[in-house]
Amino acid sequence: MSLTYLDAIREAQARALEEDPRVFIYGQDVGPFGGAFKATKSLAERFPGRVMDAPISEDAMLGLAVGAAISGMRPIIEVQFADFSTVALNQIVNQAATLYWRTKVPCPVTIRLPAGGTSGSGPFHSQCPEALYAHYPGLVVLTPATVEDAYSMLLEAVAIDDPVIFCEHKYLYYHLKAERLPDEAMPVGKARIARAGRDLTVVAYSAMVHEALAVADELASEGTEIEVVDLRSVKPLDTDTIMASVARTGRLLCVGEAWPWGGVTAEVVARVASEGFGLLDAPPQRLNAKDTPVPYHPNLWAAHRPTARRIAMAARNLLRS
Amino acid sequence: MAYRLVEPQPKDEVSPGKNACLEAYRYILLARVLDDKFASLYRMGKIHGGVFLGRGQEALSVAAGLALRKGDVFAPLIRDAAGRIAFGEPIVDAVRTYLGSPLGPMRARDGNVHRGRPESGILPMISHLGAMISVVNGVLLANRMKGISGTVGLASIGEGGTSTGAFHEALNQAGVERFPLVVVVANNGYAYSTPNERQLACQTLELKAPGYGFRSHSVDGTDLSACLSVMNVAASEARAGGGPQLVIARLLRLCGHGEHDDAGYVDPRLKESTLGRDCLKVAEHHLMARGWASTQDLAVWREAAVEEVEGVVAQVQREDGPDPYAEEWRALASKHLVDEPPITA
Ligand SMILES: Cc1ncc(C[n+]2csc(CCOP(=O)(O)OP(=O)(O)O)c2C)c(N)n1
């Protein structure tokens, strides 16, 4: 049997519903239809009354989730596309994210955001908003890159007593497969060495981990060893694992599919520069998408985001410096 | 077509009796005295930030608080001192929040009207108008899923707040789910300085109700007795499974938007109209006309309220302010997930 990243997300939700009566799912078309991506397929049938269609009201969906969480429930909210979560921005960053700090009442809401680019999706179905949410205090922001992580991190997200932004990459939904679901996992908050190497550290997360791994393969044939760090969680950010890797390699390239201004790659570079300046043999580099909305046509899209080709180019430049 | 006011229609309500009116009046009086004290502390420079009063809106607010029971959920807004007290919020919570005492429910992390105790059914408002209504919906959904029946949620809002997207989404959501929700709109003619003509395109606010699957109720917000009746009907209907209810009250705020505001923009003709009546005076007149209270009773009650408020304020003023060095500076409940950037200010 082989399972996709999307299957893992569905299985994690099924297990959460099965094991915890406080869990419910609310989002557009998640009920009998099973969700725009089928991430909740057959769950409404298996768990009557606990997988509910919502009106097209992202603000009210998230507000309702906060109220339910206050009352001891563990809502999972599926926002149909991460791009639409900006409509709920206020409820997420001002309501959910401030509740515990203001009142000591925890706010365990899992917010599933199908994020990231796929060919032909264009400006409003492709965004990677992890940095936006990471900027606000009071949120945990997760970016699983593997089938195993999609499963175990989603289960852990539901168990966390805080609002969790769960960025699941749409490109990985069908492209990634695993033989089985994991029995155990690294905890949220720890980065993973996806591939060991001694010449250059490439820090990546979500779909970019796979681009980085492809580059590591390619450069290995040229005799260069790239270490790939999969952040898994962008907030909290596992600075220790990044720093330890840079201590081994002396070189850092941080890759993100999101826009270049600020964001996760800037944060990683800033931390390494301020805490690990002495470890570096060359200026730390970062690679992001271009500073425009995400384009529609595949030719433009391929040039907009970091690809294995661009990562390899940046890596070679960095290795020469 | 211009916005117009709807004359309240008598419904299947009963006039509240002596005890109900006396109880409500005493909460109004306490809220008024408390608000006056905050205004005076503000003028003395003893309050950090703004002060927002409910003067003129207490009859409506108290009726909202009294229509609720233990187990219900209440999302008060800026002008709900009276409703909060009626629902059971101790006035020390208000004083500690305004004076920034770490012993208050918000522990000096949030101030003035942004206070509550979710565990007791009082949701702490965030500033963003309209945002609390869907949170009430969430509590009602949780109750439904847990099999708890007979509870009601009530959210307050001003007519200005009805223009937000959040208001629209939340009312539609409540209508779709037929939640036992009461939304109380205090139309005081102005949202800060913006008059109804610049705020509302609908002919009447009541017209919004059917669009959301709500039943509407209209009430003269200056008339305590009417407020008690209408709010009771609305809450009872919601409680009995009649679906969500929208109460539209007409009134005037008899103060600035906050104490920094002299409200010079309010049309003097409105102030002189019946909308400009002080609900406290109207209530006193009602009590005395029925022989339920004498001038002496009123004086004694006021004195008791003043004494209570002064006592609590004096107590809170002796409490230490928050200590930034003792503060944990942690926004997450999960200690192990706190992000630790290398440099913190
Ligand atoms: C979403 C949002 N926008 C703007 C404000 C700033 N603001 C605070 S109160 C207020 C006026 C509110 O008017 P209304 O809802 O009629 O209530 P009232 O103050 O009259 O009781 C405004 C504009 C806010 N709190 N929230």
Side-chain angles (χ1 to χ4, degrees):
Chain A
M1 187 181 87
S2 100
L3 289 140
T4 63
Y5 182 94
L6 182 63
D7 294 332
I9 287 166
R10 184 169 50 246
E11 289 307 313
Q13 292 181 105
R15 183 165 162 190
L17 285 162
E18 184 86 54
E19 292 180 352
D20 190 342
R22 300 170 302 172
V23 173
F24 69 91
I25 303 177
Y26 187 55
Q28 288 143 28
D29 307 298
V30 299
F33 183 65
F37 297 99
K38 298 289 174 233
T40 57
K41 189 177 164 203
S42 78
L43 296 183
E45 210 178 307
R46 276 178 66 189
F47 303 98
R50 295 171 64 198
V51 184
M52 292 166 280
D53 284 340
I56 307 172
S57 298
E58 284 76 8
D59 184 286
M61 279 159 51
L62 266 300
L64 174 142
V66 172
I70 285 174
S71 305
M73 304 298 280
R74 301 243 155 197
I76 300 174
I77 301 299
E78 177 179 303
V79 177
Q80 200 154 70
F81 284 82
D83 312 57
F84 305 134
S85 70
T86 49
V87 179
L89 187 71
N90 185 46
Q91 295 289 3
I92 298 173
V93 306
N94 289 314
Q95 192 91 259
T98 66
L99 184 76
Y100 172 74
W101 186 79
R102 293 168 76 229
T103 65
K104 284 195 207 160
V105 175
C107 188
V109 177
T110 300
I111 306 166
R112 287 186 39 235
L113 303 186
T118 50
S119 180
S121 292
F124 311 115
H125 291 76
S126 303
Q127 295 170 20
C128 296
E130 62 279 353
L132 177 67
Y133 294 110
H135 182 68
Y136 285 90
L139 300 170
V140 173
V141 184
L142 307 183
T143 50
T146 65
V147 176
E148 292 79 3
D149 274 352
Y151 181 75
S152 64
M153 288 168 77
L154 183 50
L155 277 173
E156 197 176 340
V158 175
I160 288 172
D161 276 339
D162 290 290
V164 177
I165 303 289
F166 191 83
C167 298
E168 44 193 60
H169 202 292
K170 300 194 296 292
Y171 184 78
L172 303 182
Y173 271 169
Y174 316 102
H175 284 80
L176 282 189
K177 290 197 172 69
E179 279 317 304
R180 53 186 205 90
L181 295 171
D183 301 321
E184 52 185 34
M186 291 175 82
V188 156
K190 288 273 167 269
R192 176 178 70 99
I193 305 295
R195 177 183 175 124
R198 43 152 217 245
D199 298 324
L200 163 67
T201 297
V202 176
V203 171
Y205 58 98
S206 192
M208 285 298 132
V209 170
H210 302 283
E211 304 289 332
L213 287 171
V215 172
D217 271 347
E218 184 187 332
L219 270 68
S221 63
E222 300 166 16
T224 304
E225 284 184 23
I226 290 185
E227 178 148 302
V228 177
V229 177
D230 170 8
L231 289 177
R232 303 176 72 242
S233 137
V234 305
K235 195 174 187 182
L237 189 60
D238 182 0
T239 316
D240 289 348
T241 297
I242 299 168
M243 218 62 83
S245 174
V246 173
R248 285 190 287 275
T249 64
R251 284 180 160 76
L252 170 68
L253 171 64
C254 190
V255 185
E257 187 182 327
W259 291 303
W261 201 98
V264 178
T265 59
E267 184 66 29
V268 168
V269 167
R271 289 186 188 198
V272 170
S274 59
E275 281 223 318
F277 193 69
L279 305 172
L280 290 164
D281 296 329
Q285 301 294 319
R286 62 199 193 98
L287 193 60
N288 280 88
K290 292 189 195 305
D291 192 20
T292 68
V294 184
Y296 160 70
H297 194 278
N299 292 354
L300 297 178
W301 178 61
H304 178 263
R305 67 184 191 123
T307 50
R309 203 177 58 79
R310 280 177 63 205
I311 298 170
M313 217 148 63
R316 287 196 181 94
N317 283 340
L318 182 50
L319 284 160
R320 273 195 295 271
S321 66
Chain B
M1 202 170 299
Y3 182 83
R4 71 184 164 80
L5 296 169
V6 170
E7 274 312 314
Q9 296 300 319
K11 285 215 178 100
D12 37 350
E13 64 218 28
V14 251
S15 286
K18 176 180 173 183
N19 289 343
C21 286
L22 285 178
E23 184 193 14
Y25 171 75
R26 295 206 51 186
Y27 289 139
I28 292 184
L29 184 62
L30 185 57
R32 178 68 63 91
V33 168
L34 181 64
D35 266 2
D36 286 348
K37 183 67 186 177
F38 287 139
S40 118
L41 288 167
Y42 175 81
R43 286 191 298 273
M44 289 156 70
K46 297 256 163 99
I47 287 180
H48 314 276
V51 165
F52 303 89
L53 306 184
R55 198 180 294 149
Q57 303 195 184
E58 295 98 330
L60 178 68
S61 178
V62 85
L66 284 172
L68 298 175
R69 303 179 189 155
K70 203 167 159 31
D72 289 343
V73 59
F74 182 26
L77 228 61
I78 341 180
R79 314 202 186 279
D80 274 319
R84 287 169 174 276
I85 294 171
F87 188 58
E89 181 185 89
I91 65 169
V92 70
D93 275 13
V95 176
R96 281 180 167 148
T97 308
Y98 261 112
L99 293 182
S101 165
L103 303 180
M106 310 311 283
R107 297 165 292 157
R109 293 177 177 189
D110 207 343
N112 53 62
V113 289
H114 307 98
R115 61 178 191 271
R117 293 184 183 269
E119 63 283 7
S120 314
I122 305 188
L123 300 180
M125 62 175 277
I126 67 167
S127 287
H128 304 66
L129 296 169
M132 299 310 298
I133 307 173
S134 58
V135 181
V136 176
N137 287 346
V139 176
L140 297 174
L141 175 71
N143 285 350
R144 178 187 290 176
M145 293 183 83
K146 292 188 222 168
I148 301 171
S149 59
T151 59
V152 161
L154 189 146
S156 293
I157 196 150
E159 87 288 351
T162 69
S163 305
T164 61
F167 175 88
H168 164 76
E169 288 193 9
L171 265 71
N172 182 62
Q173 180 181 56
V176 167
E177 297 288 348
R178 280 188 66 77
F179 283 136
L181 173 72
V182 181
V183 174
V184 182
V185 181
N187 181 5
N188 58 20
Y190 296 85
Y192 205 155
S193 75
T194 304
N196 278 177
E197 306 83 80
R198 298 294 307 160
Q199 188 71 245
L200 305 167
C202 53
Q203 260 190 57
T204 74
L205 279 165
E206 285 81 352
L207 278 174
K208 291 188 187 249
Y212 295 124
F214 278 54
R215 183 179 171 198
S216 84
H217 308 258
S218 310
V219 66
D220 174 349
T222 66
D223 179 345
L224 173 62
S225 183
C227 288
L228 289 170
S229 307
V230 168
M231 210 63 80
N232 246 326
V233 170
S236 307
E237 287 218 6
R239 210 181 289 286
Q245 314 285 317
L246 185 66
V247 178
I248 308 292
R250 312 167 309 152
L251 34 62
L252 212 58
R253 87 169 127 67
L254 305 180
C255 52
H257 170 65
E259 282 310 275
H260 57 278
D261 170 30
D262 69 5
Y265 44 80
V266 176
D267 185 340
R269 283 169 307 185
L270 267 182
K271 290 193 214 171
E272 286 149 21
S273 75
T274 50
L275 288 183
R277 302 188 297 178
D278 180 351
C279 63
L280 185 78
K281 296 274 171 275
V282 176
E284 287 174 353
H285 186 260
H286 185 84
L287 295 178
M288 297 211 289
R290 277 158 190 73
W292 294 345
S294 64
T295 29
Q296 207 204 333
D297 291 332
L298 299 182
V300 170
W301 294 336
R302 175 170 282 273
E303 206 170 309
V306 170
E307 200 176 313
E308 183 178 348
V309 167
E310 291 296 339
V312 171
V313 170
Q315 171 206 329
V316 174
Q317 281 183 320
R318 287 192 297 272
E319 293 169 2
D320 287 334
D323 175 1
Y325 297 101
E327 174 71 43
E328 224 185 331
W329 302 111
R330 170 165 62 86
L332 293 180
S334 322
K335 274 192 186 153
H336 66 290
L337 294 177
V338 171
D339 183 55
E340 276 155 18
I343 297 171
T344 46

